[in-house]
Amino acid sequence: MTSSPSPGPGSAQRVPVVIVGAGPAGLTVGNILRAAGIDCVVLECETRAFIERRPRAGFLEEWAVRGLDRRGLAGNLLARAERHAACEFRFEGEQHRFHYGELTNSHHYVYPQPLLVTDLVREYADVRGGDIRFAVRDVRLHDLGTDRPRVSYTCPRTGRVQVLRCDFVAGCDGARGVSRGALPPGRARVARHDYGIGWLALLAEAPPSADCVLFGVHPDGFAGQMPRSPDVTRYYLQCPPGDTPGDWPDDRVWEQLHRRLAATGAAPLTRGPLIEKRVLDMHDYVVEPMRHGRLFLAGDAAHLIAPIAAKGMNLALHDAFLLGDALTARLRGLPGAEALSDAYSPACLRRVWDYQEFSQWLSDIYHGAATGDPFRAGVTLARLRRLFTSPRAAAAFAEQYLGAAERY
Ligand code: FAD
């Protein structure tokens, strides 16, 4: 489908940019536009309370935090986030700490996604006076190939269809939104990869079991620990792709976490109530180009990356910085503005593909030992050992893990 048929006659509000989706990507684009004095409307299908609590990501790369800071969006984050410069691999019953901060002079910030979203909504709506409409239904995009696209939605209060006429649409509505489906067939290629495995994603109301990220590479499957806050910790367990949370009663979860993260000298895991338990079907996709006419996709709407290397929110922010700047330049009529928006998709995709490649590589390490194939298990362990024996391999890993390359 190119775009939906036009809604019926009626008065349409005029606004330079409509942003679909109030996740990290959409809210960052909105904040950049508002800082430049450009009007926009953000349409979000959930309530404000819901998006401010939805748990997901937590690890931000240093360049992304600097990008937020330059745009006046990192005040709380810089004051509250923990900084991490090491992670720990556990394999063959031993702990192997990897100090990537020393190799890159860079680090991660641990800041749960709901806190970032809360900060971005507050800044956009309450400080910069941005227009955001929550709980809207049935968002549809129209006339995207023309100079005057429109976006319609149903107002939750009145039940009436509202129409916004605009210059540009930013499709930031994540993996399950409508924007990606509005790309005309044949105009964009969607490259997909399925890992053929599941991850049980868990949030425990318990302090972290170690002061850094843990990656357990075990014949039973991968297990991971990611600190989120002093009281909440994310864990992952590799599982068969068709599993449901019902297959994983709490006792089984803790038994497998203990088993897969066990190592000589390691403290026992800190247990607590499991407040989130869901199975992620591990897959990736990339839409190329990330643009059709006056529609620009950003974040998970354009590319999904399984949470193997904690990259998705970072990529969403990278897109948002470039898109916010490109739309600002276009709407202000700055010289070179058209070239900037033409360069948007290729500039985003270079980093996207680099991160996808790293996730593939890391996936082989995480999951190779559990394939039951002694050859793949041997290769996995060789790769892991190389990180601790070859300074060059270690430096390359650290750079990719932090997204710290000079150029993409
Ligand atoms: P989203 O955050 O999905 O936002 C899209 C918004 O659009 C949502 O608010 C949604 O409600 C709204 N929407 C959807 N459809 C419509 C519609 N039809 N109309 C209007 N609004 C709509 N990334 C990292 O970088 N680091 C991590 O540590 C990390 N950990 C993760 C752990 C888990 C368990 C998961 C699932 C993901 C993780 N990610 C991580 C990925 C990260 O959460 C996403 O990449 C990020 O949320 C993408 O931001 P976004 O703004 O593109 O999309």
Side-chain angles (χ1 to χ4, degrees), residues 20-27 43-46 50-51 54-61 113 117 136-139 172-179 201 226 228 234 236 276 278 280 298-301 303-305 307 309-316:
V20 187
L27 291 167
L43 298 176
E44 166 59 50
C45 64
E46 302 288 356
F50 181 87
I51 63 164
R54 179 170 46 199
R56 277 191 188 168
F59 269 70
L60 282 166
E61 294 168 1
Q113 188 165 333
V117 166
V136 300
R137 298 197 310 273
D138 202 20
V139 173
C172 306
D173 46 352
R176 297 201 173 91
V178 292
S179 303
M226 278 96 203
R228 284 290 187 259
R234 186 170 277 297
Y236 292 113
E276 188 195 57
R278 63 189 179 117
L280 307 177
D300 281 9
H303 40 74
L304 190 76
I305 185 161
K311 296 291 192 187
M313 182 159 70
N314 292 282
L315 286 176

Side-chain angles (χ1 to χ4, degrees), residues 37-79:
I38 294 168
D39 284 335
C40 50
V41 172
V42 177
L43 298 176
E44 166 59 50
C45 64
E46 302 288 356
T47 64
R48 181 168 181 168
F50 181 87
I51 63 164
E52 289 183 347
R53 275 193 233 116
R54 179 170 46 199
R56 277 191 188 168
F59 269 70
L60 282 166
E61 294 168 1
E62 191 169 330
W63 62 265
V65 174
R66 272 198 246 109
L68 288 168
D69 191 33
R70 269 201 300 282
R71 291 159 175 91
L73 299 172
N76 284 342
L77 191 165
L78 289 170

Side-chain angles (χ1 to χ4, degrees), residues 15 35 54 69 86 125 190 220 225 245 250 276 290 346 392:
V15 64
R54 179 170 46 199
D69 191 33
V190 185
D220 282 5
Q225 180 229 233
D250 292 9
E276 188 195 57
M290 293 166 51
R392 287 200 182 131

